[in-house]
Amino acid sequence: MARTKEFDPDAALHAALELFWRRGYEATTMADLVEHLGIGRASIYATFGNKHELYLKALDRYADSRNPRLLGELSQPGPALPAVRAVMRRFAAEAASDEERLAGCFVTNTAAELAPHDAAAARRVAVSWERVETLLHSALVRAQAQGELPEDRDPRALARMLLVLMQGLRVVGKASSDPARVRDATEQALALLD
């Protein structure tokens, strides 16, 4: 007869996500995971696989939890450009805040740490960025159709520029305690939408 799990796999995955997000992949050992999750090594392997598989599951969880908020912000009825501006300013504020700044973005952290040499991580980063770019592109197409964005602007290119800015804000915000740096960059980029 199979034993029932004596822990909540969902809570354990969330705890792993927090640890990997704070420390990174390489700096997190299996011993760290055992201690932080409060479950045995064998249970981690049986439930999630090895450390790499657990990391990828945590990354998937993170991306899946962030996209609905962004979708909600960018797909509200009415003018689309104010929503795009609000999202970008939120990213800048989060990148400059002490609480968010030090953690950065788990996807961005993965892009910097693992994507150059880990195909599975790189695929997940690419999928996450594609989702964000698609949401931005859709909002900018809607803004253009509603007359908010000039006809000579390329919504796809602008969406890509904003995606790169969002990722850059996370990196610069994590390494710099000067909020003006991310705020000024954001406002300059948003001026291109006028």
Side-chain angles (χ1 to χ4, degrees), residues 5 7 13 16 20 25 30 33-34 37 39-57:
K5 291 195 185 315
F7 66 94
L13 182 58
F20 282 130
Y25 178 76
M30 277 305 288
L33 288 164
V34 166
L37 276 60
I39 58 178
R41 184 181 300 257
S43 293
I44 292 173
Y45 284 120
T47 305
F48 303 109
N50 63 28
K51 175 181 143 179
H52 186 255
E53 291 169 315
L54 176 55
Y55 184 90
L56 294 176
K57 287 175 178 149

Side-chain angles (χ1 to χ4, degrees), residues 43-78:
S43 293
I44 292 173
Y45 284 120
T47 305
F48 303 109
N50 63 28
K51 175 181 143 179
H52 186 255
E53 291 169 315
L54 176 55
Y55 184 90
L56 294 176
K57 287 175 178 149
L59 181 59
D60 289 342
R61 165 69 61 86
Y62 176 87
D64 290 345
S65 71
R66 296 300 191 259
N67 289 331
R69 178 179 182 187
L70 194 57
L71 174 63
E73 291 171 318
L74 292 174
S75 63
Q76 296 176 13

Side-chain angles (χ1 to χ4, degrees), residues 173-190:
K174 191 171 180 173
S176 171
S177 61
D178 182 2
R181 186 169 279 139
V182 294
R183 184 182 57 243
D184 292 349
T186 302
E187 293 306 319
Q188 288 301 305
L190 292 178

Side-chain angles (χ1 to χ4, degrees), residues 94-175:
E94 288 173 358
S97 79
D98 285 339
E99 182 180 325
E100 297 280 336
R101 182 177 72 79
L102 296 177
C105 167
F106 193 30
V107 173
T108 306
N109 296 351
T110 301
E113 183 183 11
L114 293 181
H117 56 81
D118 183 327
R123 277 191 302 278
R124 282 166 169 79
V125 168
V127 166
S128 178
W129 287 350
E130 182 63 35
R131 287 178 185 161
V132 173
E133 181 182 314
T134 298
L135 291 173
L136 289 166
H137 178 249
S138 295
L140 292 168
V141 166
R142 198 163 43 97
Q144 200 167 50
Q146 295 173 167
E148 303 168 66
L149 185 66
E151 284 296 319
D152 65 341
R153 301 297 161 76
D154 179 351
R156 175 65 65 195
L158 286 171
R160 288 179 173 155
M161 184 266 306
L162 293 175
L163 170 68
V164 170
L165 175 66
M166 291 164 96
Q167 298 309 302
L169 291 173
R170 298 296 198 190
V171 172
V172 172
K174 191 171 180 173

